[in-house]
Amino acid sequence: MVMRPSANAAIAVLAKAPIPGFAKTRLIPAIGAHAAAVLQERLTERAVATACAAGIGPVTLWCSPTIDRASFQDLARRFPILLRQQPDGDLGGRMLGAIAAQNGQTLVIGTDCPALTAEDLRAAAAALENADAVLIPAEDGGYVLIGTRAVHPDLFSGLAWGTPQVLGQTRARIAAAGLSCVELPTLWDVDTDADLARLETLFPEMAL
């Protein structure tokens, strides 16, 4: 008999369309725009598959620039997900919009962390049963997952997105708001040449 997870949470996956020159731009000097777009498509599919495999709640793929891209439509045919267009604004505003669209516990992830597992998502949902927020830190000083039980705009406004300060700033905002938070083990993103080599070693099925 298959046991269903005891904790529930909606999952929001924020994804850029795999458009050459638009996605994984930091890797373009090393591998070119086309290969970077191919990598983005593979990472997005993995993130969606992981979110669905967690089985903890509805999965929404928040698409940029629009939901009309063929790759997004293909994922919607193959997986039980809802497509929504990301709102305008910086990363914080887009994550806040994804949380505000849900009613209750929500986990927000991107597509850059192939090491994130369904078990990680279940653990994050379980953490929200007793805490106001949950984080999975990233090795680069950001985070690969944030989850909250309710909408807290201060956690997403005015942060130095894309810098190593994001995790520390988020921790400070959580503390200032008097919120309880659980941090799960640190994971890693695919953003640099070294990360790409690590991806190819640990996940050869995703190698370019």
Side-chain angles (χ1 to χ4, degrees):
M1 183 174 68
V2 176
M3 299 295 292
R4 293 187 57 82
S6 59
N8 295 302
I11 303 176
V13 184
L14 272 61
K16 284 186 175 181
I19 302 170
F22 180 68
K24 304 305 295 176
T25 54
R26 280 185 277 186
L27 289 174
I28 288 176
I31 62 175
H34 176 74
V38 171
L39 177 61
Q40 174 67 13
E41 187 168 24
R42 293 178 184 177
L43 287 168
T44 300
E45 179 175 349
R46 185 179 183 89
V48 168
T50 299
C52 292
I56 56 175
V59 177
T60 302
L61 181 61
W62 289 83
C63 308
S64 177
T66 71
I67 67 172
D68 298 325
R69 306 298 303 188
S71 60
F72 292 147
Q73 295 294 323
D74 178 62
L75 289 172
R77 285 189 291 269
R78 295 165 50 209
F79 294 94
I81 62 174
L82 175 68
L83 299 181
R84 295 281 299 271
Q85 184 169 323
Q86 292 185 30
D88 294 332
D90 64 10
L91 177 59
R94 287 179 273 130
M95 288 195 291
L96 180 62
I99 290 175
Q102 302 297 329
N103 182 23
Q105 298 177 174
T106 306
L107 307 177
V108 181
I109 64 173
T111 60
D112 291 342
C113 182
L116 184 73
T117 66
E119 289 75 18
D120 293 326
L121 293 171
R122 294 183 194 119
L128 287 182
E129 294 293 301
N130 298 300
D132 299 309
V134 60
L135 289 169
I136 297 182
E139 290 180 356
D140 62 6
Y143 54 77
V144 302
L145 176 150
I146 188 169
T148 61
R149 294 167 62 95
V151 179
H152 298 287
D154 287 349
L155 305 188
F156 303 96
S157 176
L159 275 68
W161 301 110
T163 74
Q165 285 73 51
V166 170
L167 179 61
Q169 291 176 340
T170 302
R171 286 169 173 158
R173 295 290 183 87
I174 289 171
L179 303 176
S180 58
C181 182
V182 172
E183 289 195 17
L184 299 177
T186 299
L187 296 175
W188 54 281
D189 286 326
V190 180
D191 285 322
T192 67
D193 296 358
D195 298 329
L196 187 59
R198 190 176 184 179
L199 172 76
E200 292 172 344
T201 298
L202 297 177
F203 303 100
E205 71 278 9
M206 300 186 69
L208 296 170

